[in-house]
Amino acid sequence: MKSTRALSLLALAGWILAGCGGSPSGFFDPAPLPDGDPGNVDRVAPAKLPEPNAAPLAALPEAKDPPATIKGRSPGRLQPTSDMRSLRPGDLYMYYVTGRLTVDITGATPFQSSRPITGTMTRTVTQEIFNGLMTLKVTNRLVYKPAGGIPVTEIEEIYCDQDIDGNLRQVARRSGAQLWNVEDTGFYIPGNWFPNQATSGVTHLINDATSVNALVTQSDTLSVSGTQDIATGMGAYGTWKTERSRNQKEEYTLTPLVGEIGLVVEDQSSTENWSPIVGSYIFRSMNRTRSLAVVETASPFVNRTDTYTLTTTEILTSTTVR
């Protein structure tokens, strides 16, 4: 059985799991509050939106090609094409992120905090053999800093298969030290986009043999409401405006110890403006809420509920697609 203490030093690497259950990190870390009244976060000015061509706030790899050139055309003339491009190793997308982190911890020592954040999201595409199959791996690296706190890094790796029609399906997912394999899925990112399109499905995942025993169920929906032009520092993009949602449950199959997690429920809702010719979203506004059942005492067995909410807005600042 793994020790929560032994894994605590890896907290900034994302969602680190320990023991029979999980141990929270990533955007859950309650970073230090500003000096003064810890409950008065209104005096902290909200983060400014990026200026045209503003650089990301964290050290990130630079695009190898001119960021304003995509398949030889200016972004200002890109239209919301219907066909999703084939993702390729070396694809890179950088986003400027603003938002707010809210923490509500219950139990014997309650804690509340709400602070604005600024940061970056980097999406990179690589190719990797997974369980004997060649897959595309999309790595989402979110780096953000709560006002008055320390920088936090949250990393998610999604192994995907893209069929000849351009549809993207999840094969496996790694979050922090935990790796899940997809048993079955009915959801996909569409390879062909059109008005009033809708897709939904349920995905069942089970932990890899190297990870803590847990079952994961994801219920996803995606609907296209129409087209919308999005202005960025690189130019204007024609996009498909979509509404997405996800409900995810992580159920640990062994009884957790004190301080560990037995159940995680995450709800996501977002508006995403997709450009199929780029192969990613240009703008995204997302709300993520995670509720954790944490063991407060073992005798008697008592759980407490901790809730973490991260609201973010992302806008594309640079991209290289091949």
Side-chain angles (χ1 to χ4, degrees):
M1 184 175 295
K2 301 176 184 177
S3 168
T4 303
R5 296 186 184 89
L7 291 176
S8 61
L9 296 178
L10 300 177
L12 295 184
W15 175 250
I16 305 301
L17 298 167
C20 300
S23 177
S25 61
F27 76 79
F28 307 115
D29 290 343
L33 288 170
D35 294 334
D37 180 5
N40 185 9
V41 297
D42 294 332
R43 62 184 176 84
V44 180
K48 295 181 180 179
L49 291 175
E51 300 293 333
N53 295 313
L57 296 184
L60 298 171
E62 294 183 358
K64 295 181 180 180
D65 298 333
T69 301
I70 301 175
K71 292 190 175 180
R73 292 191 285 173
S74 165
R77 295 196 299 272
L78 286 179
Q79 299 301 315
T81 58
S82 296
D83 295 331
M84 174 77 81
R85 66 180 291 273
S86 297
L87 300 185
R88 300 177 184 176
D91 289 347
L92 169 67
Y93 313 91
M94 300 183 186
Y95 301 85
Y96 181 92
V97 180
T98 58
R100 178 167 287 271
L101 169 67
T102 301
V103 179
D104 186 6
I105 297 177
T106 62
T109 56
F111 173 82
Q112 291 182 322
S113 170
S114 182
R115 287 152 289 157
I117 67 164
T118 55
T120 56
M121 166 70 86
T122 308
R123 288 166 59 86
T124 56
V125 179
T126 55
Q127 202 169 42
E128 188 169 314
I129 295 177
F130 186 84
N131 285 343
L133 300 175
M134 186 64 72
T135 65
L136 293 166
K137 184 173 75 171
V138 179
T139 301
N140 297 315
R141 180 175 179 262
L142 175 62
V143 180
Y144 66 90
K145 181 179 180 180
I150 59 176
V152 176
T153 300
E154 185 177 353
I155 299 176
E156 178 186 53
E157 297 172 341
I158 303 174
Y159 297 82
C160 302
D161 174 67
Q162 188 169 23
D163 62 27
I164 59 174
D165 295 322
N167 300 314
L168 279 166
R169 285 182 172 82
Q170 184 179 198
V171 175
R173 172 175 174 261
R174 185 192 304 276
S175 184
Q178 186 79 350
L179 175 64
W180 287 286
N181 298 312
V182 172
E183 287 191 308
D184 57 79
T185 182
F187 181 74
Y188 59 92
I189 301 296
N192 186 266
W193 297 71
F194 51 86
N196 300 319
Q197 181 182 25
T199 181
S200 62
V202 176
T203 303
H204 297 101
L205 304 96
I206 190 169
N207 60 280
D208 185 80
T210 62
S211 300
V212 178
N213 293 333
L215 302 175
V216 177
T217 302
Q218 296 175 343
S219 298
D220 289 273
T221 68
L222 180 151
S223 61
V224 179
S225 58
T227 61
Q228 184 178 22
D229 289 337
I230 298 295
T232 74
M234 298 182 295
Y237 290 83
T239 70
W240 295 101
K241 183 179 180 181
T242 68
E243 304 296 333
R244 288 193 60 182
S245 69
R246 167 176 289 179
N247 173 267
Q248 175 176 297
K249 293 182 180 180
E250 302 173 21
E251 301 175 272
Y252 295 89
T253 55
L254 297 177
T255 303
L257 303 175
V258 173
E260 294 181 341
I261 300 164
L263 174 67
V264 181
V265 178
E266 177 171 330
D267 288 298
Q268 299 180 11
S269 61
S270 63
T271 298
E272 299 180 354
N273 290 85
W274 274 78
S275 173
I277 198 172
V278 174
S280 188
Y281 57 89
I282 305 300
F283 175 85
R284 177 167 71 175
S285 177
M286 174 180 285
N287 185 79
R288 300 165 57 192
T289 298
R290 289 181 182 176
S291 296
L292 289 67
V294 183
V295 177
E296 182 84 352
T297 63
S299 182
F301 188 82
V302 176
N303 278 335
R304 71 170 192 266
T305 300
D306 296 346
T307 303
Y308 303 85
T309 300
L310 185 65
T311 301
T312 55
T313 297
E314 306 169 40
I315 189 165
L316 187 69
T317 59
S318 179
T319 182
T320 299
V321 294
R322 305 185 183 279

